[in-house]
Amino acid sequence: MKISIIGTGYVGLVTGSCFADLGNEVICVDNNVKKIELLKKNVMPIYEPGIEELVRRNRKNGRLVFSASIKEGVKKSDIIFIAVGTPPKDNGEADLSSIEKVSCEIARAMTSYKLIVEKSTVPVETGKWVEHTIKINSKRGVEFDVASNPEFLREGSAINDFMHPDRIVIGVETKRARDILFELYKPLKAPIIVTDIKSAEIIKHASNSFLAAKISFINAVSNICEAVGADVVKVAEGMGIDPRIGRSFLNAGVGWGGSCFPKDLAAFIRISEKLGYDFELLKAVEKINEEQKRLFVKKIEDTLWILDGKTIGVLGLSFKPNTDDIRFSPSIDVIKMLQKDGARIKTFDPQAMNKAKEVLDGVKFCKDAYEVARGSDCLVVVTEWNEFKEIDLLKIKRLLKVPLIIDGRNIYDPEKMKKLGFNYICIGRG
């Protein structure tokens, strides 16, 4: 099929590259000319395992091209995926200005039938506004359909998630749109959930909000575990074996971040308010997540006493491992809170250093975990990269001023750390 993807962020670039790998002709469009020029040189604007190889392979075989022209993308495609950003406004509502702008440009460029598909995460009823915007801006009376096809890609495993999905959700209003999307996704052999557009839009926000709630729940439980000397890891194991609950997203820690959970949760709360419903449960989920970061900083304060003038080594800047994404990263918030109390920060992340340098001032960026540890008053783990799980702990112990590790992701075994001579403080483990 002939496909255009408008937007080359984490979702757009992965989606376009994977569709090309399935044998489709794909043109990825972005108004950032510099980004497009870099992509034409096989320089990736994001870190995602496997994406560079995927782009190179499909550019070489001619199935994947890049352009800064929406008009070109519309002209060369039958299916148009909108995958532009929908960042949060100050009140939590999603900013849909890019969606509107793209919809206008698509309308003006259409000369034949197109299927326009929402891929960006958008509030319910966005589909009807996309349809309305295209109708009033299309001067030729060209036929078109609008559909919703929310993404469920996890940064760090996005390519595998696309190629091996647990479900595909399509919201459509016509048989023509349904048949096109069924044919497009046929090679993936995954269950396809067919709904109306509004239901598909809600499925995305409801899914991410539920997962965020699950994490906040276990983080709240971790505080109870600490108060009584229980082990939240064992509690999560005992809960997770129950098939009604499941073990995934029950890892207690310093809190969730990234481009999805904070944004989608806030947007769903705001959507509910506009529809006349006060979603208090989700407000509590959001509050617990913010509190978890403050409680983690308090652990550091309670252990070091005075933070002013102390050197704290921070391992991890991205919101999760296997990505360079620092949007709403707990690490960034923790560092800023520590700096506010006068602490000096040394830090290292395998992929997110360059992006972190754009938002952090007065921080020493190190070449590895050992440089971070050298001369620091304590070592703080905020992102659970495998690299940090496998460091030489005895070497770390020698480099630190005192053998103190405060672990916001529970990546080490408390008994082992005790035997190695560390003062090891973690989350919800007594």
Side-chain angles (χ1 to χ4, degrees):
M1 293 186 168
K2 297 181 187 298
I3 301 167
S4 67
I5 311 286
I6 302 176
T8 59
Y10 289 88
V11 173
L13 187 58
V14 170
T15 299
S17 302
C18 288
F19 273 139
D21 214 49
L22 292 173
N24 300 289
E25 294 178 31
V26 179
I27 178 169
C28 285
V29 179
D30 201 292
N31 64 0
N32 185 330
V33 177
K34 184 179 177 182
K35 184 194 282 191
I36 291 297
E37 290 306 313
L38 288 173
L39 283 165
K40 287 179 178 179
K41 297 174 184 175
N42 294 322
V43 177
M44 299 301 107
I46 59 170
Y47 174 77
E48 178 66 37
I51 191 65
E52 184 175 349
E53 180 189 348
L54 200 62
V55 168
R56 282 180 180 274
R57 180 168 68 244
N58 286 286
R59 285 195 68 232
K60 187 177 180 180
N61 62 33
R63 288 199 295 259
L64 178 64
V65 297
F66 296 101
S67 172
S69 168
I70 287 181
K71 187 174 182 180
E72 182 186 3
V74 172
K75 182 181 177 182
K76 292 183 176 180
S77 60
D78 301 314
I79 311 170
I80 303 162
F81 285 87
I82 300 177
V84 296
T86 54
K89 297 179 182 179
D90 290 341
N91 65 355
E93 189 175 327
D95 183 350
L96 301 178
S97 56
S98 293
I99 300 280
E100 183 188 43
K101 183 180 177 183
V102 165
S103 298
C104 289
E105 292 194 48
I106 290 171
R108 292 170 189 145
M110 290 193 315
T111 57
S112 60
Y113 173 85
K114 307 291 177 184
L115 172 58
I116 297 104
V117 186
E118 299 174 337
K119 199 68 174 171
S120 304
T121 300
V122 294
V124 63
E125 298 190 321
T126 300
K128 76 171 187 180
W129 282 109
V130 170
E131 182 181 1
H132 172 74
T133 302
I134 293 172
K135 274 183 179 176
I136 64 174
N137 284 279
S138 176
K139 305 304 180 186
R140 301 180 181 89
V142 176
E143 278 191 87
F144 70 94
D145 280 311
V146 173
S148 176
N149 175 218
E151 53 85 16
F152 300 99
L153 307 179
R154 296 167 297 172
E155 289 180 36
S157 60
I159 293 171
N160 185 68
D161 290 345
F162 185 97
M163 294 298 195
H164 306 282
D166 47 22
R167 86 284 203 193
I168 294 163
V169 175
I170 59 171
V172 292
E173 303 297 340
T174 69
K175 182 178 183 299
R176 186 176 188 178
R178 177 190 180 278
D179 290 347
I180 290 170
L181 289 173
F182 260 71
E183 185 65 25
L184 178 63
Y185 280 112
K186 189 176 179 181
L188 296 182
K189 296 179 173 61
I192 298 180
I193 312 300
V194 183
T195 74
D196 59 277
I197 292 175
K198 292 176 184 178
S199 296
E201 291 168 336
I202 288 178
I203 284 169
K204 172 65 179 190
H205 273 121
S207 296
N208 278 352
S209 296
F210 183 84
L211 295 175
K214 198 171 178 183
I215 298 170
S216 282
F217 179 82
I218 199 65
N219 280 337
V221 170
S222 76
N223 297 318
I224 304 300
C225 289
E226 283 187 16
V228 298
D231 186 341
V232 73
V233 174
K234 290 297 182 184
V235 172
E237 182 183 358
M239 291 171 58
I241 288 174
D242 187 329
R244 297 170 301 173
I245 298 172
R247 182 63 181 84
S248 61
F249 292 87
L250 282 181
N251 293 319
V254 69
W256 37 259
S259 63
C260 291
F261 286 0
K263 175 174 74 73
D264 293 355
L265 190 78
F268 206 25
I269 291 170
R270 183 73 182 121
I271 290 163
S272 303
E273 288 174 349
K274 290 176 78 172
L275 295 172
Y277 180 70
D278 186 1
F279 214 144
E280 290 188 54
L281 173 62
L282 295 189
K283 290 179 181 178
V285 168
E286 194 173 47
K287 181 181 177 183
I288 289 167
N289 193 59
E290 290 305 306
E291 185 65 17
Q292 200 69 6
K293 289 179 276 190
R294 287 190 285 270
L295 289 171
F296 185 65
V297 171
K298 188 175 185 299
K299 283 180 186 289
I300 301 170
E301 291 172 341
D302 290 348
T303 309
L304 292 178
W305 188 26
I306 305 297
L307 293 184
D308 190 20
K310 297 281 172 63
T311 299
I312 298 175
V314 177
L315 295 183
L317 293 163
S318 57
F319 82 94
K320 62 179 283 191
N322 296 319
T323 181
D324 60 350
D325 196 347
I326 60 167
R327 288 175 289 180
F328 297 98
S329 171
S331 181
I332 304 299
D333 291 338
V334 166
I335 286 172
K336 288 181 176 179
M337 282 188 263
L338 293 171
Q339 285 181 313
K340 195 173 181 181
D341 285 335
R344 293 190 294 262
I345 305 296
K346 299 166 70 178
T347 188
F348 170 73
D349 186 285
Q351 294 295 336
M353 302 271 272
N354 288 335
K355 289 187 176 179
K357 287 175 183 176
E358 297 174 6
V359 299
L360 291 174
D361 295 317
V363 170
K364 181 178 179 183
F365 293 92
C366 301
K367 64 180 181 181
D368 56 28
Y370 303 108
E371 187 183 349
V372 173
R374 185 175 287 108
S376 293
D377 291 283
C378 78
L379 194 64
V380 173
V381 179
V382 194
T383 312
E384 63 274 33
W385 285 90
N386 283 336
E387 182 172 327
F388 301 152
K389 297 175 184 178
E390 296 164 2
I391 55 176
D392 184 339
L393 289 167
L394 289 176
K395 184 176 180 181
I396 291 289
K397 183 181 175 184
R398 291 194 300 269
L399 291 170
L400 286 166
K401 282 185 184 176
V402 291
L404 170 61
I405 292 181
I406 303 173
D407 183 358
R409 297 297 178 188
N410 291 344
I411 67 173
Y412 304 120
D413 180 349
E415 286 300 314
K416 179 183 176 183
M417 297 301 283
K418 186 177 179 181
K419 288 177 183 176
L420 290 173
F422 280 97
N423 179 8
Y424 178 65
I425 297 164
C426 47
I427 304 288
R429 307 189 81 177

